[in-house]
Amino acid sequence: MTAGPPVLHLGRLGFEQGAHLLLGRALDGVPPGGEVAVAGSDPALVTHLAAWCRREGHETSVAAPGDLPVRAVVRQGGAGRTRWAGARRAGEPPWTGAVAHAPPHWGLAARGALVEEGGPEVPFAVTGRDLVWTDLAPRLYRQAAAAQWDPERAVPWDTPFTLPDEVETAVVQVMTYLVENEQAALVVPARLLVQVHPHFREVLQLLAVQAADEARHVEVFTRRALLRGHPMGTSSAGGRASLTTLLTEPDFSITSFLLSVLGEGSFLSLLSFLERHAPDPVTRRISRLVRQDEARHVAFGVGHLEHRASVDPRLRGRLRAAVERRYDVLADTAGLNQDVFDSLVLLAAGSWAPEAIAHGWRSVRRLQEDMDEGRRRRLARLGFPDDEAVALSALHTRNFM
């Protein structure tokens, strides 16, 4: 005697309450053409079952009256399995690493997901791993996520202090300059982020946190500038022209080079200078906090370019050309806002005494030398010979960023 199909007992559970989950699980256990009998007391069971089977590609028949409590029999049509027949995983085991090239049809699929054929192709501009990658990215992201700080709590805004009016004006001018530069540093990673295929999620996560960092920097520099009721300082045409060149560079690696390695790298020295010469505890604290964030941004840029240079021997030539091209574009601009330079001198001087101003001027000159030394050191890490590193550092914008 031949045994009948297995019976799925649904009780009072209807399809509008999730009965399809149980039936789908039961059908997964039989081969195409195999049958599952369905029993249940829901009045609409047969009607809903028939509709569900049509949508899923299965066949159904109403059971004979003698088969009660069986209400219907479902034959596995295999459509669900056929649907996934050409599907491929988005990546390779163990799914923790990124592949060399991410196809456009993977789109927003999670790394390691089984990707159904026929989905839309998302035209991300950067689909190659080596175009954005550094092995430091996962670790830097973890560090960045753990190191986020709250401007309201991390900065002693209520600490009492009094500065001479001209010193406060100098602080405001420097803060105004920093806001302008940080706004550029906010826009650039946000622009890069939307170009990168989500398969390289660690890079996206790092760029997203970097943008969040810069947004926070804009907040604290603005808040410090307005803390004592002074109006914002000046914004020079040359400074804005310098920053605009960062917004128009289309290549991921070159943008990272100009912004992070050269620009933000130089800002590490500037922020150390401000922390050292800050005339008040609020300026000192925000300079230190921002510098910690910027150090991660520089580490990502250097790490990425080291990786890229290891697989693309032509990269250094393209980086060199980008520096020279930017220098030519900015050759007729005034460079660093004179108001910013003078404000830095006054902050380092601490007073208007001639000998103090001379000390402040020498301190700013040493700052520029420190910036140059840091740029040359990072250029050497990227494989540039010493003479090229010296020449390229000298061509970097006088606006620092």
Side-chain angles (χ1 to χ4, degrees):
M1 183 174 179
T2 304
V7 179
L8 172 65
H9 293 276
L10 295 176
R12 290 178 294 179
L13 185 67
F15 269 68
E16 75 281 6
Q17 298 171 317
H20 67 284
L21 296 174
L22 298 180
L23 179 55
R25 181 169 179 262
L27 289 170
D28 284 341
V30 300
E35 295 180 334
V36 172
V38 180
S41 59
D42 176 51
L45 176 62
V46 173
T47 301
H48 290 169
L49 173 62
W52 182 84
C53 287
R54 284 196 301 272
R55 186 175 70 247
E56 298 297 319
H58 305 301
E59 297 178 15
T60 182
S61 58
V62 178
D67 293 333
L68 293 175
V70 172
R71 305 280 299 280
V73 175
V74 177
R75 178 174 294 116
Q76 164 69 270
R81 297 174 185 180
T82 303
R83 173 184 174 185
W84 297 98
R88 296 290 182 271
R89 294 283 176 184
E92 301 170 354
W95 321 118
T96 53
V99 298
H101 180 77
H105 76 272
W106 284 0
L108 300 172
R111 187 187 299 167
L114 186 62
V115 181
E116 181 184 6
E117 286 191 329
E121 293 194 357
V122 185
F124 291 105
V126 180
T127 58
R129 179 179 185 272
D130 291 335
L131 299 178
V132 296
W133 193 253
T134 171
D135 289 337
L136 294 174
R139 178 165 60 86
L140 286 174
Y141 170 68
R142 291 192 296 270
Q143 291 176 354
Q148 295 299 290
W149 45 275
D150 178 2
E152 191 62 38
R153 298 183 179 184
V155 180
W157 301 108
D158 296 331
T159 302
F161 66 86
T162 302
L163 300 179
D165 189 67
E166 290 166 315
V167 174
E168 177 66 21
T169 299
V171 172
V172 171
Q173 178 59 65
V174 173
M175 293 297 117
T176 302
Y177 163 79
L178 291 173
V179 169
E180 188 172 275
N181 282 264
E182 295 295 82
Q183 288 182 156
L186 165 61
V187 172
V188 170
R191 183 173 62 84
L192 294 177
L193 192 156
V194 299
Q195 298 179 21
V196 180
H197 196 295
H199 182 76
F200 311 111
R201 63 172 185 258
E202 295 88 349
V203 175
L204 261 66
Q205 291 165 330
L206 197 53
L207 289 171
V209 175
Q210 184 171 333
D213 288 343
E214 304 297 3
R216 190 169 57 244
H217 300 168
V218 170
E219 175 187 348
V220 295
F221 289 142
T222 301
R223 189 167 174 178
R224 174 60 189 92
L226 302 176
L227 191 62
R228 290 294 186 262
H230 282 231
M232 298 292 279
T234 61
S235 169
S236 69
R240 295 196 308 278
S242 176
L243 296 175
T244 300
T245 61
L246 297 175
L247 307 183
T248 56
E249 174 56 57
D251 183 85
F252 184 98
S253 296
I254 292 177
T255 302
S256 297
F257 176 65
L258 296 176
L259 173 67
S260 298
V261 177
L262 297 181
E264 291 179 311
S266 298
F267 261 53
L268 294 180
S269 299
L270 175 60
L271 292 165
S272 292
F273 176 94
L274 291 175
E275 182 182 3
R276 186 164 58 251
H277 296 292
D280 63 86
V282 174
T283 301
R284 184 176 304 110
R285 178 62 173 166
I286 62 178
S287 298
R288 182 177 184 181
L289 289 169
V290 171
R291 188 182 188 281
Q292 293 171 352
D293 292 340
E294 297 292 354
R296 288 195 307 273
H297 306 169
V298 174
F300 171 62
V302 172
H304 162 61
L305 290 162
E306 284 182 316
H307 174 83
R308 183 76 188 272
S310 70
V311 298
D312 182 2
R314 300 171 298 175
L315 177 66
R316 278 182 285 273
R318 293 170 53 224
L319 298 179
R320 183 188 313 109
V323 173
E324 294 169 347
R325 182 171 62 249
R326 190 182 188 207
Y327 176 81
D328 290 341
V329 168
L330 299 174
D332 294 331
T333 63
L336 182 67
N337 185 348
Q338 187 66 44
D339 292 339
V340 176
F341 185 92
D342 293 346
S343 296
L344 293 173
V345 170
L346 180 56
L347 293 180
S351 81
W352 287 102
E355 60 274 15
I357 293 297
H359 169 76
W361 190 88
R362 289 193 300 270
S363 296
V364 176
R365 294 300 300 171
R366 281 196 298 273
L367 166 63
Q368 293 172 312
E369 293 168 0
D370 289 344
M371 289 178 171
D372 177 63
E373 180 182 350
R375 289 193 297 267
R376 288 188 281 114
R377 185 171 61 251
R378 286 183 286 275
L379 287 165
R381 281 190 57 180
L382 299 181
F384 286 98
D386 289 344
D387 57 339
E388 283 194 61
V390 170
L392 291 177
S393 179
L395 294 179
H396 180 62
T397 172
R398 291 165 290 174
N399 192 52
F400 300 163
M401 181 67 83

